[in-house]
Amino acid sequence: MAKHASAAVGWGHHHLQKRWLLALLLMLTVSTVIAFFMRAAFDSCDRNVSVDNLAFLLRSVGAEVNWVTFMKPSETDEVIYSLEHKMLDRGVQVFSAFGKEAIDTALRADLVVLNTAVAGKWLDYVLKEDVHRVLPKVLWWIHEMRGHYFKLEYVKHLPSVAGAMIDSHVTAEYWKNRTQERLKIKMPETYVVHLGNSNELMQVAEDSVAKRVLREHVRESLGVRNDDLLFALINSVSRGKGQDLFLRSFYEALQLIKQKKMQVPPLHAVIVGSDMSAHTKLEMELRDYVTQKKIQDRVHFVNKTLTVAPYLAAVDVLVQNSQGRGECFGRITIEAMAFQLPVLGTAAGGTTEIVVNGTTGLLHPAGKEGVTTLAKHIVKLATHVERRLTIGKRGYERVKERFLEHHMAERIGEVLKEVLRKSKIRSSKH
């Protein structure tokens, strides 16, 4: 789910980020980069990707940045609408992937970032005979782990681009193996870049007064008391995100507590990422399940939103229940850790590269076999206050060590430098 809140870090980190930006500025002065971002309308593994952060970083050092979307004017998506207006406010031009302006800009750009695998459809569909002029300057930022993205019509040009950037090592390995075995094509030079929390989010996460105000406001709106324990799953409602299995685990946890007559505060669950207007089968199933189990007073549904900070401030534990191969990265995980929340995550995908099992969170298997384990973990954190708080503090320390914006900026800076160098050499040969 695309979302954002953000924040300022300490002077040392701020200084490091400025140093990286100065280095990038020198590089851009030579390259006169026009960055051109392709944003597909399709849901990816982790819809909350950081291409907007990269766009703003490039804008801050004087690059011309264009944001191109597959979304058609007739389509409405409040999250995308909000994000596009955020882009415009920061001086990033936004236009349709299907217009002449998109083609002209791509041809004159020094760097074209394809954001998500399905953006590859645009190369042939729109550029047509000009594809060969653009491929040498393409950085393909891939966020998907789902099998249905491995179609030749999407990714056949992968071997010819300047480079690929992927959010986790496990996803990069998956793409390397799958493209070779299933599609008989080779990945280009591939760079793994873990994402980082924005400065604005960190500022909120480290402001105790702001967190208290947000916590009180959100809990009041949900009808949850201050001492109640609130477990949250923050992601667009879909099978792959595991809201249905989470609710089963939550109900099982309530039953365990009742059977063993444990003395714990009332437990609540909140699903942030709901969309009743879509009338999806899963949305109906979730609400029917809650009614059937008579836990309407314990489960709360909140519409999908870009603004997650208030909910992170309000809850006590984040549940990252992505199924199958898990999240490519799962940025909500590091955002929650910034708020000192313990994470209950599936032992799959990028989550395994973020959460240290038993230290910054507790991992459970994906699928139905993980339901009971997750239920036990919910009970464990509900009954052991000190452990819950300790895990949360360790998660925050891990974020400060490796998952801040300046960490990501430095990693991406190295990738851009290499990709621009290669694209110049290759473009000069065409």
Side-chain angles (χ1 to χ4, degrees):
M1 180 165 79
K3 55 202 171 322
H4 259 65
S6 300
V9 291
W11 169 253
H13 290 156
H14 183 68
H15 178 68
L16 282 171
Q17 186 186 32
K18 286 297 182 185
R19 188 174 66 188
W20 178 85
L21 288 174
L22 286 171
L24 181 59
L25 178 58
L26 292 174
M27 180 177 74
L28 294 181
T29 303
V30 176
S31 304
T32 321
V33 168
I34 302 168
F36 178 88
F37 294 94
M38 286 298 305
R39 170 44 164 107
F42 311 85
D43 251 354
S44 67
C45 166
D46 181 5
R47 192 175 181 183
N48 177 33
V49 295
S50 286
V51 70
D52 53 332
N53 266 19
L54 177 54
F56 300 151
L57 283 169
L58 290 173
R59 278 292 301 140
S60 70
V61 292
E64 177 186 340
V65 180
N66 296 279
W67 174 270
V68 178
T69 177
F70 276 120
M71 294 292 285
K72 298 179 178 64
S74 59
E75 295 175 314
T76 56
D77 185 315
E78 288 184 16
V79 171
I80 300 302
Y81 180 82
S82 177
L83 181 57
E84 289 184 0
H85 276 266
K86 183 179 174 185
M87 288 283 183
L88 290 168
D89 290 343
R90 301 281 190 96
V92 176
Q93 292 300 307
V94 179
F95 45 82
S96 168
F98 304 99
K100 186 175 183 297
E101 194 172 14
I103 299 172
D104 293 342
T105 307
L107 292 175
R108 70 187 178 91
D110 295 291
L111 176 68
V112 175
V113 179
L114 294 184
N115 183 42
T116 78
V118 293
K121 289 180 67 177
W122 174 82
L123 291 170
D124 284 321
Y125 185 76
V126 178
L127 287 178
K128 298 175 182 175
E129 66 272 9
D130 289 318
V131 169
H132 69 282
R133 295 172 58 188
V134 175
L135 292 178
K137 52 191 179 182
V138 168
L139 172 62
W140 209 321
W141 201 350
I142 295 171
H143 312 278
E144 292 88 354
M145 285 269 279
R146 310 282 180 252
H148 59 271
Y149 289 103
F150 289 88
K151 294 181 180 178
L152 208 55
E153 63 177 298
Y154 294 160
V155 299
K156 67 180 181 181
H157 290 298
L158 261 174
S160 304
V161 302
M165 188 161 66
I166 297 181
D167 305 335
S168 65
H169 293 282
V170 65
T171 311
E173 189 65 22
Y174 177 65
W175 270 85
K176 177 185 175 182
N177 295 335
R178 185 103 178 189
T179 50
Q180 287 180 347
E181 294 168 6
R182 298 292 182 89
L183 303 180
K184 309 303 179 188
I185 62 175
K186 187 178 180 181
M187 287 289 288
E189 183 75 28
T190 302
Y191 309 89
V192 173
V193 174
H194 285 153
L195 307 182
N197 285 329
S198 62
N199 292 339
E200 291 83 3
L201 183 125
M202 291 304 299
Q203 189 174 48
V204 177
E206 295 173 336
D207 187 331
S208 58
V209 175
K211 282 200 297 184
R212 186 174 69 250
V213 171
L214 290 172
R215 181 181 177 89
E216 291 173 356
H217 173 73
V218 170
R219 283 181 168 245
E220 183 180 350
S221 69
L222 296 176
V224 177
R225 294 177 302 184
N226 188 53
D227 293 333
D228 294 348
L229 286 179
L230 187 52
F231 292 76
L233 196 157
I234 305 176
N235 248 323
S236 295
V237 169
S238 71
R239 298 282 180 198
K241 304 303 182 182
Q243 285 91 352
D244 52 341
L245 297 178
F246 164 53
L247 287 181
R248 284 173 56 183
S249 296
F250 181 71
Y251 178 72
E252 197 170 303
L254 292 177
Q255 295 305 106
L256 280 171
I257 290 168
K258 184 178 179 180
Q259 290 166 9
K260 296 185 178 182
K261 298 179 180 178
M262 297 177 182
Q263 297 300 310
V264 297
L267 269 59
H268 290 256
V270 59
I271 304 289
V272 181
S274 185
D275 185 1
M276 272 300 287
S277 63
H279 299 292
T280 64
K281 181 181 177 184
L282 178 58
E283 187 86 43
M284 297 301 108
E285 284 179 15
L286 296 178
R287 293 170 187 266
D288 288 344
Y289 179 82
V290 168
T291 302
Q292 176 195 336
K293 295 300 182 182
K294 296 182 172 58
I295 51 175
Q296 300 97 316
D297 60 328
R298 299 293 190 100
V299 179
H300 315 271
F301 293 91
V302 174
N303 287 340
K304 58 184 179 180
T305 175
L306 279 173
T307 310
V308 296
Y311 299 99
L312 294 175
V315 307
D316 300 292
V317 179
L318 178 84
V319 178
Q320 174 60 283
N321 206 40
S322 293
Q323 299 299 303
R325 298 178 188 88
E327 291 289 333
C328 179
F329 182 77
R331 184 149 135 200
I332 188 63
T333 306
I334 60 171
E335 291 176 331
M337 288 161 64
F339 278 77
Q340 301 190 34
L341 300 180
V343 176
L344 300 180
T346 48
T351 304
T352 60
E353 295 175 28
I354 302 171
V355 176
V356 180
N357 192 27
T359 301
T360 66
L362 299 172
L363 300 180
H364 58 275
K368 293 179 181 178
E369 60 269 31
V371 170
T372 296
T373 304
L374 175 55
K376 290 177 179 177
H377 288 169
I378 290 172
V379 173
K380 185 177 290 187
L381 292 188
T383 54
H384 294 84
V385 180
E386 283 304 317
R387 184 169 191 186
R388 188 172 74 242
L389 297 176
T390 299
I391 289 175
K393 288 175 183 175
R394 286 175 179 164
Y396 169 75
E397 290 165 2
R398 184 164 170 80
V399 163
K400 296 286 279 188
E401 288 172 5
R402 62 182 66 197
F403 297 125
L404 295 177
E405 187 173 275
H406 79 86
H407 295 131
M408 184 180 77
E410 289 166 4
R411 291 188 286 259
I412 291 179
E414 290 300 314
V415 174
L416 292 183
K417 186 176 180 180
E418 183 65 15
V419 168
L420 284 168
R421 183 186 66 80
K422 286 182 180 178
S423 66
K424 277 187 174 182
I425 293 171
R426 296 178 65 189
S427 294
S428 65
K429 293 179 181 178
H430 286 76

